[in-house]
Amino acid sequence: MKWDWSAVGDFMPHFWDGLLVTLQALVLGSLISFALGLLWALLMRTPTRWVRWPVGVVTEFVRNTPLLVQLFFLFYVLPEWGVTFSALTTGVVAIGLHYSTYTMQVYRAGIEGVPAGQWEAATALNLPLTRTWTAVILPQAIRRVVPALGNYVISMLKDTPLLMAITVLDMLGEARLFSQEHFQFTEPLTVIGVAFILISYPASLLMRALERRLVR
């Protein structure tokens, strides 16, 4: 097998386009998953069963169905009900919604890990419930769960190639299209594999370092 450097050069403009799409999906999907996950975690702590029950059903359903099925549902089924998004927007929403059910559990563990004395101190100071959450509980809980949230960001990065199934040209989508047009598969797919390693491995090292720093 002969390595063709000219094929790499021809592919690189497509690679940068795919990288931009991948990073957009990753960043926006992460923001949605973090925000929704926190919302789910807070709703699951409400004393009202008629709030907890629907949230629990929805999050369990989303967590226990494949992301690919959810992508197909949002992209192909919702338009039949008059709800239409672009392919990239659909992918971002699907990734964010899917992973919010996992970040919810991370937030839940972080909140439950806050010492009971913190709740008692807030009560003794007669702090309003909103102030208790925003100034006492959440800052401590989120500090504990940052490394775990970072790990899910890496998982989201590795799931972005699934967006190719709904016509989103991320890195892998661009590599696949280039390969089919030029009948050269080794070079573009190798570039994509190296790119994922260069992004995910340093990120995982950063998460480990951050975890060690936060647990001190």
Side-chain angles (χ1 to χ4, degrees):
M1 181 182 65
K2 184 179 179 181
W3 182 265
D4 187 352
W5 286 104
S6 64
V8 176
D10 293 339
F11 172 64
M12 290 311 294
H14 303 275
F15 166 76
W16 295 118
D17 291 341
L19 177 62
L20 178 60
V21 172
T22 296
L23 294 178
Q24 285 179 323
L26 176 63
V27 172
L28 296 176
S30 298
L31 293 176
I32 292 174
S33 71
F34 293 162
L36 269 183
L38 180 58
L39 177 62
W40 301 145
L42 294 177
L43 290 177
M44 288 297 290
R45 292 186 63 88
T46 60
T48 306
R49 188 183 67 169
W50 297 111
V51 173
R52 295 196 312 272
W53 185 81
V55 171
V57 170
V58 170
T59 54
E60 284 297 323
F61 177 81
V62 172
R63 184 165 59 247
N64 289 285
T65 53
L67 175 57
L68 186 59
V69 173
Q70 296 164 17
L71 283 167
F72 283 150
F73 183 87
L74 294 176
F75 191 67
Y76 293 109
V77 177
L78 285 188
E80 296 183 1
W81 297 347
V83 181
T84 304
F85 300 108
S86 69
L88 180 57
T89 300
T90 301
V92 167
V93 171
I95 288 177
L97 177 62
H98 184 79
Y99 274 93
S100 71
T101 61
Y102 293 96
T103 59
M104 176 191 74
Q105 298 298 333
V106 174
Y107 286 123
R108 180 190 58 78
I111 292 171
E112 292 179 354
V114 176
Q118 298 295 310
W119 294 92
E120 295 169 357
T123 302
L125 293 172
N126 199 28
L127 293 179
L129 184 60
T130 302
R131 181 68 174 169
T132 299
W133 277 104
T134 58
V136 179
I137 305 303
L138 288 181
Q140 297 182 65
I142 291 175
R143 181 176 180 271
R144 296 168 181 267
V145 303
V146 166
L149 294 177
N151 290 333
Y152 280 118
V153 172
I154 297 173
S155 296
M156 280 184 266
L157 170 66
K158 292 187 289 186
D159 273 349
T160 54
L162 291 176
L163 302 189
M164 184 177 62
I166 58 170
T167 73
V168 175
L169 290 179
D170 68 324
M171 289 193 295
L172 184 59
E174 290 284 1
R176 181 172 179 267
L177 184 62
F178 180 88
S179 298
Q180 290 174 340
E181 292 177 349
H182 297 83
F183 301 100
Q184 293 173 305
F185 295 87
T186 302
E187 293 82 5
L189 291 176
T190 301
V191 169
I192 295 305
V194 171
F196 273 105
I197 293 174
L198 291 178
I199 297 173
S200 60
Y201 185 66
S204 65
L205 294 178
L206 177 62
M207 289 301 104
R208 293 175 191 172
L210 182 61
E211 184 175 10
R212 288 194 298 268
R213 183 178 181 85
L214 290 177
V215 298
R216 289 178 181 176

